[in-house]
Structure formats: C-alpha cells, structure tokens
C-alpha cells in the first residue's frame, strides 16, 4: 500500500506531462481544473479567518433543531463551494462533542442540497457568459485585502480571490472542452441503457475520488455536456457518481476522528449510497420529472446543462425527503455498529480532543474543558477506590463516617497500573492539545487553556500524593490500635466529604455560597489535622502510639492536607470556567489582550452547556434510592 502511494504522484505527473505535450487543449482543460480547485482552497483559507468564534457561534445557533442543522449545511456549502470541507468541519465538531450525531446528519443532508448550487452556477452562467471578466476585479480587490494587517480583511481577500479563481477555472474548463470537442469525439464512448448509467456513475465516483472534489467533477460534466462530448443520460449518471464519490473525503477525514466522527462518515456514506441507488433505479422517471419541472421553470427543452442542474437538485432533495424520517433509526443503527471504544489495549483514551479542532479556538477551549472534567472524574474514581469507597458512596447521601466504618477491608490496588490505564493518555493529550491550540487563541483564551492544563496537573499531583498515602491507609484502617485507626478514618472522611461537596457545588451558580462552603471544608480539615490540633503530641505523650506510628501519621497528615488543597484548586478552576467565568469577566475593560465582553459571555455559556454530558455521567453513578 505504501509503495502504491509513493508511485501514485510520479505516475500522475508523467501522465499529465505526456498529455500536455500531446495536446495543448488538454493543457488548458487541466489548467482550468487546477485553477478551480485552487479557488476552493483559497475559499477555505479565507473562511478559516472567520472561525475564531464566528463559525462556532453560527454552529451553536444553527444546530438546535434538525431543520436548522440542514439550513447550516446548505448555506455553508453554498458559500464555501465544498461539501467535503463542510463534512470535515462537522466531523471535527462532532468528535469534540459540540454537536450530536443527529445534528451532524442534518448538516450532511443540508450540505448535499447545498452542493447543487455549484451546478446551477456553472449551468446558468459558466457555459453562457464570460465569468473571467467578473473575476478580474475580484482578484484585484482580493490581493489588496490580503496585504492588510487585519485578519478579517485578509480572510475576505482570500474569499474574493477564491471566487475569482473559481470563475477563471470555470472559463478555462468551458473553453478547454470546446477546443477538445473540435479535435476529438468523446461521444463515441457514450453508452445507452442501465449499462451506461452504471459505467458513467462509476466514472463519476472514480473522478471524484481522484480529484477529491465533487464540485470540480460537476464542472467538468456540465462543460462536457455543453460541448456535446457526453450524452444527457450519461451526464446524469456522472452527477450521481460524484454524489457517491464525495463520501470518500468524509471517510478519509474520519480516520483520524473518534468513534463519533466515524459514525457521521458512516451516515454520510449510507445517505449518499441510498440516494445514488434511488437515482439510478428511477433515473427514467426522474428525467421525466426534470423535464416537466424544466418546462414549468421556463427552461428550454434542449438546455441540457440547466436540466442537469435541476436533476442534481431533484435527486438530492428526494434523498433527503426519504432519509429524514429515518434519522433516529440511523443514529441507533450506527451507535450499534460503531460502539464507543474509550479503551484501547487496556488504556482509556481522550474523548473530546481532536487534532483538527485546534483551528477553532472557542470550540477547542470547550473540548479542553470537557477533557479536563473527564480526567477529574477518573481521578475521583481512583481516589475513592484507594480509600475504600465506590463512586456511588461519594455520590450518595449516606454519612461518610458510616461509609468509612463499614469499609474496613481495602483491596490492594496497583496504582501505577491504574494511572497508566486511566490517566496518563488523557493527561498527555490535554498537554499536547493545549500547546497546539494556544497559538490561534486570544490572550484571554490562551490564559484559560493554561489554567485547564494546571487543573489537570493538580489532579495528577493529587494521585502522586495518594500513592504516598496509600500504604499506611491500607495498614491502619484494619489496625488493632484504635487511635491510629481513628486518625486514618478521619483522613478518609475528610477527603470523601470534600469530593462529595465539590461535586454537589457544581450545581450552584452563586459563587459566594460556593466560596463559603469550600472555606468551611477547609476549616473542618484544619480542625481534624492531628498535627495542628495537638492530637499527635497527645498520642505520643500518653504512649498511645509508637514513634514509628507518629512519624507515619505526621507525614500522611501532610500528604492529605496537600491533596485537599490540590483538589480544591483543580475544582475551583473548572468551576470558575464553567459557572462564573462570564459573570466575573464581563465587566473587565476590552483591551487588546482580552476577548470582548460579549465573546467572554458566549464562551462562558458554551462551557456551561458542556457540563450536561459530565452531569449525566455523574448521575449514572449515583446509587438508586
């Protein structure tokens, strides 16, 4: 496979070079395709300049319902002229948990309809007027804007330049086919009946896979049809093939995504295959329907390029109409076929961090927050296990003293193995992702990302202290010395109550109440500190414990106190970002290093909404009443 990949590019270069040498018209046609695809790349680069909050904001507002999701997919594809790009962006956001699978499928449905706008552009204007004349002023203004310092102006410049190259590419493709048609007759390869439909659909799929652009293949198809180089029915089959072929890009993009992204790619494949098969089976009736619609729209009977655009729109709309009622069943099917695999080779993997998400600062920040929460939940599970609790004990309302009293036997846990299995991969991903994401972030966003990284570090440091504490906890919870048993029980109670309280405090929006509760927990921990309150001195003085016991208790009390502080710090960061960030930051002045107040409030809302999945995970762990 690697050998094939290495040989592909040289082979393509040799074939193109031979074609250019043999036929100048082929050179013009190839140049048109290249310019068209370069225009698409420039459009993509231009729109990326607006993703530092704009795209995330639009996505959040546009995917609340299935109809809105479809509208987003339609409009985004119409603007970017790339259904593949929209698919990849959707896979990225879905992989990060920012949208649901049903919403992602809605975007794909809308994107398939949006891709028909390219066919309408080419059929309506590309083959009838000189689009290159309109491209020239766009190119001039595009270059002018690109050399501005403003990122948004540069993005606008790339968009204008992209449209200019699209128009120039279309003109070259049209003229190239007109020239080719004078030197050769491709109609000799025309095929009638279903054999022709299947063969040309396969050609459409192959061309789309090679060129990685259904829009470019559609442009070629319409230009060939206008030049009389393909028959109408063969052109319809080519259009069907491009629709199916475009799923390959989504599948390739999903290879680096998590299971959620793979599910969306699967949905894309199912939808386009189903739509393609329906179009092939009913191509005759659909062609008749297109003829009636064309007559109703005032399209001439022999205007086959516009009729092709109508056909492309009709079979995509019919496909959406058929599949839309089946979305929920499709979601269930994909979740069954592609179950969650959070553990690979015994190591739990990060759930929300996707490499391609670093280009979208707000979304990256939300994903980083959720992954840090994921790390925190795993850390809580490990702490509870080491201290002899179940997660249900922590999440329940039974007094911690009673839980500690009945938890006398502590199963020995290989903490190093547990850390490797449940923490290390997630922590490493958080560190790597935060570093990669920060260059695209504003000063305020980068500061938040740094805080989240610190929160993750605090949890890891807590587990390191737990490793030091564990041995003596296991020893003294079953000790015959009642005094040592009481002191280690007190350490367990305080840590258990702290974690329980911090989980419950996540539901409280009043920061003052939270601070009061946390302060009371600190006071209680200080009051129970055997060293600080004189208990250790008394136990030594009255010969109730040995010197070795006293040394262990003094060290472990210190470790427990440090754990207490680290857990509060880590939880405080997550709380401030997900609950009160907007309220605390909204009144700060808007200088160059900070997000505007409106943006800060919006990020805060996104982070608050991201709590729902974590809340659901916690609720599942609560004991039944």
């Amino acid at each position: 496979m690697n050998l094939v990949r290495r040989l592909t590019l040289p082979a393509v270069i040799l074939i193109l070079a031979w074609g250019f040498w043999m036929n100048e018209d082929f050179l013009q046609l190839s140049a048109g395709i290249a310019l068209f695809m370069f225009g698409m790349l420039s459009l993509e680069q231009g729109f990326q300049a607006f993703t530092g909050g704009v795209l995330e904001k639009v996505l959040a507002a546009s995917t609340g319902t299935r109809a809105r999701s479809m509208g987003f997919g339609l409009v985004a594809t119409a603007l970017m002229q790339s259904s593949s790009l929209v698919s990849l962006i959707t896979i990225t956001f879905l992989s990060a948990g920012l949208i649901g699978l049903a919403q992602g499928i809605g975007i794909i449905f809308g994107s398939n309809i949006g891709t028909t706008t390219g066919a309408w552009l080419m059929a309506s204007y590309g083959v009838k007027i000189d689009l290159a004349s309109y491209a020239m002023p766009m190119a001039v203004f595009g270059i002018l804007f690109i050399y501005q310092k403003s990122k948004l102006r540069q993005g606008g410049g790339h968009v204008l330049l992209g449209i200019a190259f699209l128009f120039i590419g279309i003109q070259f493709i049209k003229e190239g086919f007109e020239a080719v048609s004078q030197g050769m007759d491709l109609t000799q390869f025309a095929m009638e009946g279903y054999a022709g439909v299947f063969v040309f659909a396969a050609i459409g799929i192959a061309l789309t896979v090679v060129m990685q652009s259904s829009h470019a293949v559609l442009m070629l198809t319409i230009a060939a049809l206008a030049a009389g180089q393909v028959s109408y029915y063969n052109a319809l089959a080519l259009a069907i093939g491009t629709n199916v072929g475009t799923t390959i890009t989504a599948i390739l993009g999903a290879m680096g995504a998590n299971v959620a992204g793979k599910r969306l790619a699967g949905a894309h494949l199912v939808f386009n295959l189903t739509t393609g098969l329906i179009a092939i089976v009913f191509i005759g009736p659909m062609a008749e329907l297109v003829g009636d619609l064309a007559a109703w729209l005032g399209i001439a009977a022999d205007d086959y390029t516009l009729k092709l655009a109508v056909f492309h729109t009709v079979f995509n709309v019919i496909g959406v109409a058929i599949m839309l009622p089946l979305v929920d069943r499709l979601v269930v099917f994909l979740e069954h076929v592609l179950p969650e695999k959070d553990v690979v080779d015994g190591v739990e993997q990060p759930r929300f961090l996707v490499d391609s998400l670093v280009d979208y600062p707000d979304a990256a920040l939300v994903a980083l927050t959720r992954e840090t929460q994921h790390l925190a939940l795993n850390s809580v599970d490990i702490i509870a296990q080491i201290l002899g609790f179940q997660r249900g004990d922590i999440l329940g309302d039974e007094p911690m003293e009673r839980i500690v009293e009945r938890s006398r036997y502590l199963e020995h846990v290989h903490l190093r193995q547990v850390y490797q299995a449940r923490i290390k991969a997630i922590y490493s991903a958080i560190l790597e992702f935060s570093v990669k994401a920060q260059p695209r972030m504003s000063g305020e966003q980068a500061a938040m990302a740094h805080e989240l990284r610190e929160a993750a570090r605090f949890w890891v440091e807590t587990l390191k202290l737990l490793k030091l504490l564990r041995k003596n906890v296991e020893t003294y919870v079953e000790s015959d010395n009642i005094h040592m048993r009481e002191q280690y029980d007190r350490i367990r109670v305080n840590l258990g109550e702290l974690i329980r309280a911090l989980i419950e405090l996540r539901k409280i929006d009043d920061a003052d109440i939270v601070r009061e509760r946390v302060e009371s927990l600190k006071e209680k921990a200080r009051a129970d500190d055997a060293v600080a309150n004189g208990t250790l001195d008394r136990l030594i003085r009255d010969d109730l414990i040995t010197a070795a016991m006293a040394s262990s208790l003094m060290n472990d009390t210190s470790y427990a106190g440090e754990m207490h502080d680290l857990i509060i710090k880590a939880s405080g960061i997550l709380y401030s970002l997900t609950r009160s960030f907007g309220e605390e930051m909204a009144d700060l002045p808007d200088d160059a290093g900070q997000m505007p107040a409106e943006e800060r409030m919006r990020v805060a809302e996104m982070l608050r909404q991201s709590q729902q999945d974590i809340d659901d995970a916690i609720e599942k762990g609560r004991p039944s009443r």
Side-chain angles (χ1 to χ4, degrees), residues 444-471:
E444 194 66 44
Q445 289 172 320
M448 293 169 70
H450 177 75
E451 286 191 52
L452 288 166
R453 194 168 64 195
E454 283 293 282
R457 183 176 69 82
F458 291 153
W459 281 112
V460 170
E461 292 296 326
T462 299
L463 295 179
K464 289 180 180 179
L465 290 167
L466 182 66
K467 182 179 180 181
L468 299 174
L469 181 65
R470 180 196 57 184
K471 182 179 180 180

Side-chain angles (χ1 to χ4, degrees), residues 19-186:
F20 298 161
W21 177 265
M22 297 298 295
N23 191 315
E24 290 185 5
D25 298 329
F26 178 69
L27 172 60
Q28 183 174 3
L29 182 61
S30 300
I33 297 171
L35 289 169
F36 184 87
M37 297 184 73
F38 180 78
M40 291 175 60
L41 288 174
S42 188
L43 271 177
E44 176 182 343
Q45 186 176 355
F47 279 112
Q48 281 184 347
F50 302 97
T51 60
V54 177
L55 181 59
E56 294 91 326
K57 187 175 183 178
V58 172
L59 190 68
S62 304
T63 56
T65 65
R66 203 158 294 168
R68 288 183 181 179
S69 297
M70 289 178 57
F72 174 82
L74 193 159
V75 173
T77 304
L79 290 175
M80 298 182 187
Q81 283 298 293
S82 175
S83 59
S84 297
L85 175 59
V86 174
S87 298
L88 294 177
I89 291 174
T90 305
I91 287 172
T92 296
F93 279 69
L94 179 64
S95 297
L98 301 176
I99 57 174
L101 180 56
Q103 294 168 305
I105 292 174
I107 293 174
I108 295 301
F109 285 1
S111 179
N112 266 51
I113 297 175
T115 197
T116 64
T117 58
W120 280 102
L121 173 66
M122 180 67 174
S124 300
Y125 303 106
V127 298
K128 298 176 182 178
I129 62 175
D130 183 7
L131 287 178
S133 61
Y134 294 93
M136 299 307 173
M138 290 186 183
V140 172
F141 286 115
I143 293 294
L144 178 64
F145 287 143
I146 284 174
Y147 281 94
Q148 302 302 306
K149 292 183 178 181
S150 168
K151 183 180 178 181
L152 292 180
R153 289 179 184 173
Q154 290 177 1
H158 281 291
V159 169
L160 286 174
L161 202 59
I163 296 173
F165 275 108
L166 287 179
F167 284 0
I168 295 171
I170 289 173
Q171 188 67 24
F172 268 62
I173 291 171
K174 180 186 73 171
E175 293 175 356
F177 257 111
E178 289 174 350
V180 166
S181 65
Q182 296 174 6
M184 65 180 70
D185 184 13
L186 298 179

Side-chain angles (χ1 to χ4, degrees), residues 120 290-300 306 310:
W120 280 102
V290 167
D292 293 338
L293 285 173
W296 181 73
L297 292 170
I299 298 172
L306 272 177
V310 174

Side-chain angles (χ1 to χ4, degrees), residues 297-407:
L297 292 170
I299 298 172
D302 61 348
D303 193 343
Y304 293 113
T305 55
L306 272 177
K307 288 171 73 173
L308 175 59
V310 174
F311 176 82
H312 192 225
T313 304
V314 165
F315 86 76
N316 273 292
V317 170
I318 289 175
V320 170
I322 292 172
M323 293 296 295
L324 196 57
L326 304 177
V327 168
D328 292 333
R329 292 184 182 181
L330 181 58
V331 169
V332 172
F333 169 74
L334 290 168
E335 288 177 346
H336 175 72
V337 173
L338 296 169
E340 291 281 356
K341 291 184 180 179
D342 293 333
V343 179
V344 177
D345 296 330
V347 177
E348 189 165 347
Q349 301 298 307
R351 295 178 184 174
F352 307 105
L353 303 183
V354 183
D355 286 342
S356 53
L357 205 63
V358 298
D359 292 330
Y360 310 98
D362 285 354
L365 194 59
V366 175
L368 192 60
T369 303
R370 299 180 82 167
E371 202 63 66
T372 307
Q373 291 169 327
H374 178 201
L375 178 74
L377 278 179
N378 282 5
S379 300
V380 166
D381 280 347
I382 294 170
I383 294 170
Q385 187 179 9
I386 295 296
L387 296 179
F389 308 141
Q390 301 295 323
R391 187 194 282 191
D393 294 331
I394 297 288
L395 300 175
D397 52 13
E398 182 181 4
M400 289 305 304
E401 287 84 355
R402 191 182 304 168
I403 295 171
V404 165
E405 185 57 38
R406 61 176 170 78
S407 303

